[in-house]
């Protein structure tokens, strides 16, 4: 594989941009009507800018009209400002050790010699849609664009662990990447999975996104892919895997990314979380992408309501659509099936007869009966939003 | 370290020097410089200096307006959990600034 070279032209382009910015003190961004900024980062298209250091970039909603989210449009979310910006793949090694028979250092070639496995899977930030929480909570103020549907390919985590030989008595597997804390006091971003889960056939160390290498900002040269689970576990620019005979208690497992310890992962809005567990599998959700919020539609002409639906790894059974604010529901037609971790597109032909305001809603149910609540489920960190969303349109 | 490697590459290119064989194994990006201006008000400078050593100040500007209690908890989290080296008196100034400029008035 040949990675896109950083050419002299790119350099001049970038250098030019930096100088221009330094001179004007402003960033050449388009401003959305609602005050959101668009920014262009390397290997990415124009994305909604949340933060610049470390970068947090959100996917504009119109990309979700497609089944697969292109690499340059997949959201970006780093925690620690010291992110990798240059990787020599010839020297990169994935170190696997801890409670194992031996410590191994795998090169990219070693990884590619293992059986190549591919899954189309939704990647979604735990805090996707946090900005819609009521009351609002601190954190990345994402709209609905901290997600995407990508075909990932790489080696099974299980096969990689087998090369080191997991010893009896192992309980957790911890994952660390090339990113690092800006100050030594900041906890390094390291995540863990229980050993039983780490052995799941479908977890891969992906070195390909949609048939090509990963953009740097999405975890080049390889990242963990835990299909069905929130992206906080999908450690980017993976460098170290440590098998542990004691539970992992790093900050980002023990204190952050926790949800209330009850079936809904929710508590009364505004209250404090007492007992908690690490966030894990995604809840079922769906989103109408077209028509978009505030669109105006011609009366007595058919319009197609389209969108996407996915769940925490069980595939989508059906999607119901309401065009009258939830009074009546009809089944939408589902698009092609790319496996249980992928999202499905839905299509519903609608012909509004009378002019006026209409509230469109979609409700998905997965193959084990998990669906979406009518009211939002609240938790203090702003995780797992999956309520039935409303899109208001005007028929003229 | 990373910086030096990138710099070496940049210098090599600027000088028009072609890469050695290992070139195609190196993948590099350069992050754009993005400037976010905090709102004008007493405490702005302290906030700019003390709250930007670990992340850009857009971490602040992207938040909705919060109560003073929430901003107090956030600043305390930065100090106690993340280890932000901020004196108590400066923390008070920053909390007042955030509550005034990015607050709910409560």
């Amino acid at each position: 594989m040949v990675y896109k070279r950083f050419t002299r032209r790119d350099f001049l382009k970038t250098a030019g941009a930096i100088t221009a910015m330094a001179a004007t003190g402003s960033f050449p961004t388009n401003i959305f009507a609602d005050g959101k900024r668009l920014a262009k980062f390397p290997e990415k298209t124009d994305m909604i800018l949340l933060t610049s250091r470390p970068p947090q970039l959100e996917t504009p909603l119109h990309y979700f009209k497609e089944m697969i989210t292109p690499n340059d449009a997949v959201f970006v979310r780093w925690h620690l400002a010291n992110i990798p910006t240059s990787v020599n793949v010839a020297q990169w090694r994935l170190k696997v050790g801890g409670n194992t028979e031996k410590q191994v250092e795998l090169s990219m070639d070693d990884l590619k010699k293992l059986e190549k496995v591919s899954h189309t899977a939704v990647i979604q930030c735990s805090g996707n849609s946090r900005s819609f929480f009521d009351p609002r909570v601190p954190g990345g103020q994402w709209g609905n664009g901290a997600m995407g549907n990508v075909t990932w390919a790489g080696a099974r985590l299980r096969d990689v662990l087998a090369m080191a030989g997991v010893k009896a008595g192992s309980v957790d597997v911890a994952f660390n990447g090339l990113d690092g804390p800006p100050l030594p006091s900041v906890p390094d971003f390291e995540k863990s999975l229980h050993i039983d889960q780490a052995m799941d056939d479908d977890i891969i160390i992906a070195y390909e996104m949609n048939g090509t290498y990963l953009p740097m900002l999405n975890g080049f040269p390889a990242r963990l892919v835990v299909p069905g689970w929130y992206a906080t576990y999908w450690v980017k620019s993976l460098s170290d895997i440590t098998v542990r005979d004691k539970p992992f208690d790093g900050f980002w497992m023990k204190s952050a990314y926790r949800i209330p310890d009850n079936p809904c992962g929710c508590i009364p809005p505004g209250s404090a979380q007492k007992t908690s567990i690490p966030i894990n599998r995604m809840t079922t959700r769906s989103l109408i992408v077209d028509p978009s919020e505030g669109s105006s539609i011609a009366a007595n002409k058919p319009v197609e309501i389209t969108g996407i639906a996915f769940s925490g790894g069980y595939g989508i059974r059906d999607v119901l659509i309401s065009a009258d604010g939830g009074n009546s529901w009809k089944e939408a037609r589902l698009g092609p099936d790319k496996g249980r971790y992928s999202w499905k597109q839905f299509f519903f032909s609608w012909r509004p007869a009378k002019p006026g305001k209409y509230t469109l809603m979609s409700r998905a149910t997965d193959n084990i009966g998990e669906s979406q609540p009518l009211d939002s489920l609240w938790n203090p960190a702003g995780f797992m939003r999956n309520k039935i969303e409303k899109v208001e349109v005007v028929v003229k | 370290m990373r910086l030096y490697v990138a710099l070496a590459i940049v210098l090599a290119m600027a000088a028009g020097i072609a890469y050695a064989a290992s070139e195609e194994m190196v993948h590099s990006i350069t992050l754009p410089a993005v400037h976010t201006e905090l709102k004008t008000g007493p405490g702005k400078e302290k906030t700019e200096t003390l709250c930007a050593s670990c992340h850009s100040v857009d971490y602040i500007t992207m938040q909705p307006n919060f109560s003073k209690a929430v901003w107090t908890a956030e600043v305390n989290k930065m100090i106690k959990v993340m280890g932000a080296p901020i004196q108590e008196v400066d923390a008070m100034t920053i909390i007042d600034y955030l509550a005034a400029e990015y607050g709910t008035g409560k």
Side-chain angles (χ1 to χ4, degrees):
Chain A
M1 189 192 295
V2 176
Y3 302 104
K4 180 177 168 276
R5 281 170 224 185
F6 189 71
T7 62
R8 185 178 155 78
R9 220 176 114 249
D10 287 339
F11 167 68
L12 292 175
K13 258 197 312 209
T14 320
I18 289 168
T19 328
M21 278 177 265
T24 60
S26 70
F27 184 65
T29 49
N30 300 315
I31 309 287
F32 281 174
D34 56 358
K36 284 179 176 170
R37 290 194 286 177
L38 280 186
K40 172 84 182 79
F41 273 63
E43 303 175 293
K44 307 302 294 179
T45 184
D46 283 344
M47 300 280 279
I48 299 163
L49 177 74
L50 266 64
T51 63
S52 59
R53 293 290 189 284
Q56 299 191 78
L57 310 172
E58 178 173 340
T59 308
L61 279 187
H62 66 86
Y63 283 98
F64 303 150
K65 286 181 190 172
E66 302 301 326
M67 183 65 175
I68 296 293
T69 315
N71 290 0
D72 66 356
V74 173
F75 76 96
V76 170
R77 197 278 187 254
W78 292 88
H79 301 77
L80 309 175
N82 203 359
I83 68 166
T85 54
S86 182
V87 175
N88 186 336
V89 188
Q91 280 161 20
W92 174 83
R93 293 291 179 275
L94 178 57
K95 301 183 203 71
V96 190
N99 196 42
T100 52
E101 300 299 335
K102 55 182 179 190
Q103 315 279 313
V104 294
E105 293 200 356
L106 305 180
S107 66
M108 187 51 83
D109 285 345
D110 295 334
L111 210 53
K112 287 183 175 173
K113 276 182 206 134
L114 295 169
E115 186 187 342
K116 187 173 175 182
V117 185
S118 162
H119 298 291
T120 298
V122 171
I123 177 169
Q124 183 187 208
C125 176
S126 312
N128 190 24
S129 318
R130 179 179 288 120
S131 66
F132 304 122
F133 268 60
D134 183 18
R136 300 283 297 265
V137 296
Q141 298 300 322
W142 304 100
N144 289 324
M147 62 178 181
N149 197 39
V150 169
T151 302
W152 309 92
R156 279 193 195 90
L157 171 61
R158 219 174 68 169
D159 295 346
V160 167
L161 289 172
M163 293 189 74
V166 173
K167 278 196 197 160
S170 299
V171 294
D172 276 349
V173 183
F175 304 88
N176 204 346
L178 295 174
D179 55 333
L183 287 184
S185 60
V186 176
D188 195 9
F189 188 76
E190 195 173 2
K191 298 292 293 186
S192 69
L193 295 173
H194 188 269
I195 185 74
D196 296 341
Q197 199 205 349
M199 291 301 168
D200 188 305
D201 250 358
D202 294 344
I203 300 178
I204 59 177
I205 296 168
Y207 45 77
E208 273 182 31
M209 264 174 89
N210 294 327
T212 183
Y213 62 89
L214 282 63
M216 186 71 75
L217 293 175
N218 291 110
F220 184 87
R223 79 181 295 170
L224 196 66
V225 168
V226 188
W229 281 44
Y230 285 100
T232 180
Y233 293 97
W234 304 32
V235 174
K236 294 179 290 302
S237 304
L238 198 59
S239 58
D240 296 88
I241 300 180
T242 314
V243 180
R244 298 177 51 98
D245 59 2
K246 291 192 184 63
F248 178 76
D249 62 356
F251 174 80
W252 300 97
M253 290 298 296
K254 203 181 80 179
S255 308
Y257 285 106
R258 314 260 321 171
I259 54 169
D261 183 12
N262 60 38
C264 70
C266 68
I267 53 175
S271 64
Q273 183 164 296
K274 292 192 190 86
T275 52
S276 69
I277 54 165
I279 195 168
N280 47 80
R281 208 163 57 79
M282 293 191 290
T283 50
T284 300
R285 45 183 328 193
S286 65
L287 203 69
I288 293 173
V289 183
D290 211 20
S292 59
E293 177 73 26
S295 303
S296 79
I297 287 164
N300 269 313
K301 278 202 181 133
V303 49
E304 187 147 70
I305 299 174
T306 66
I308 51 155
F310 60 92
S311 84
Y314 290 92
I316 290 300
R317 186 172 68 202
D318 59 52
V319 176
L320 302 179
I321 301 291
S322 172
D324 56 9
N327 288 319
S328 64
W329 296 86
K330 286 203 185 95
E331 204 164 329
R333 179 172 66 80
L334 297 181
D337 186 353
K338 287 218 168 227
R340 62 200 184 104
Y341 300 118
S342 168
W343 67 37
K344 259 190 195 157
Q345 292 173 297
F346 61 81
F347 307 91
F348 184 84
S349 180
W350 180 48
R351 195 187 175 108
K354 287 195 214 107
K357 281 187 181 171
Y358 288 79
T359 301
L360 310 179
M361 297 156 88
S362 64
R363 180 181 196 242
T365 304
D366 75 359
N367 288 315
I368 57 167
E370 293 169 333
S371 189
Q372 304 180 249
L374 206 52
D375 295 315
S376 42
L377 307 176
W378 193 91
N379 53 61
F383 291 147
M384 301 199 297
R385 177 170 169 112
N386 78 326
K387 79 171 288 234
I388 297 171
E389 306 287 353
K390 291 178 178 164
V391 174
E392 314 278 346
V393 297
V394 183
V395 173
K396 286 181 179 155
Chain B
M1 170 63 190
R2 203 172 283 140
L3 203 86
Y4 292 120
V5 175
L7 199 68
I9 293 168
V10 162
L11 288 177
M13 283 186 304
I17 300 167
Y19 266 140
S22 69
E23 174 194 0
E24 31 189 65
M25 301 301 278
V26 179
H27 186 55
S28 301
I29 60 165
T30 303
L31 296 175
V34 179
H35 179 75
T36 302
E37 189 71 25
L38 286 174
K39 289 190 203 164
T40 308
K44 178 191 174 197
E45 286 71 27
K46 280 250 148 72
T47 308
E48 260 167 6
T49 349
L50 297 172
C51 298
S53 44
C54 297
H55 51 66
S56 41
V57 292
D58 39 27
Y59 265 78
I60 295 171
T61 56
M62 79 164 153
Q63 305 301 331
N65 291 342
F66 284 132
S67 67
K68 190 164 182 178
V70 170
W71 277 125
T72 306
E74 273 301 304
V75 172
N76 284 337
K77 174 182 169 186
M78 297 308 136
I79 297 170
K80 295 196 180 111
V81 180
M82 302 304 177
I86 301 176
Q87 303 298 313
E88 207 178 314
V89 33
D90 291 334
M92 305 286 273
T93 308
I94 293 169
I95 291 167
D96 285 345
Y97 167 76
L98 295 171
E101 301 303 329
Y102 299 93
T104 52
K106 271 182 252 161

